[in-house]
Amino acid sequence: MNEIQRAKLVLKILNKTYPTIKVPLKSRNTFTLLISVLLSAQCTDVNVNNVTKNIYPKYYKPEHFVKLGRKKIETLIKKIGIFRIKAKSIYNLSKILVEKYQGKVPNTYEELEQLPSVGHKTASVVMSQGFGHPAFPVDTHIHRLAQRWGLTNGKNVVQTEKDLKRLFPKKNWNKLHLQIIYYGREYCKARDCYGISCKICTSCYPNRKKPFIAKKP
């Protein structure tokens, strides 16, 4: 089975497992989506949602966070890991959006990635979930799964993203990256499946006997 055949098999299993999919991070608008993605670094989506459910009803615009100031933002997000660093990024990012973009989140990769703490993966999530632009956000989890399933041999997330975009139709990207995340959490866990027990792994590699060790990005 070659990588194109494996990709078709993966897509078939994922579409059957998750015919519909929900965006895991709850948000009120594109700006709050951006904030939630920033907060989710080294933190679970559940924890982010638990914290932001008390923030977004009242604070949901860059202007709100500029007015709050860095210290008050810290207080609001203190239950989230590295909250001081994240509060600083949120404050500075909000200030730039107000001063340079009239309080709007820009809709290009170049502009998004110039904002504080916004890397390519974060920008891809915003482009995908916020603006509906075809994107394939790849984090370390998707990188690990793509290697397990024989869809890439890339040594970093940049190469993995290129390989996945090449193998899957553009119309599937936005839904597919979420399907992969959910499948990885539920069936192909890092310390559970090991590349030898879930349906995708056993279908793509029926003769694999030893645990698959992914290359870290």
Side-chain angles (χ1 to χ4, degrees), residues 30-66:
T30 308
F31 171 69
T32 54
L33 171 65
L34 174 58
I35 298 305
S36 286
V37 179
L38 284 179
L39 292 174
S40 70
Q42 300 177 41
C43 182
T44 66
D45 294 341
V46 172
N47 193 18
V48 172
N49 289 337
N50 283 336
V51 169
T52 58
K53 72 181 179 183
N54 299 315
I55 299 174
Y56 294 159
K58 191 173 181 181
Y59 310 109
Y60 52 90
K61 294 180 179 179
E63 293 87 347
H64 295 160
F65 285 88
V66 171

Side-chain angles (χ1 to χ4, degrees), residues 23 30 45 61 73 87 116 127 137 144 148 162 206 210-212:
V23 173
T30 308
D45 294 341
K61 294 180 179 179
I73 296 172
M127 291 294 280
R144 168 176 56 82
R148 272 187 182 177
K162 287 180 182 177
K210 295 181 180 179
F212 178 81

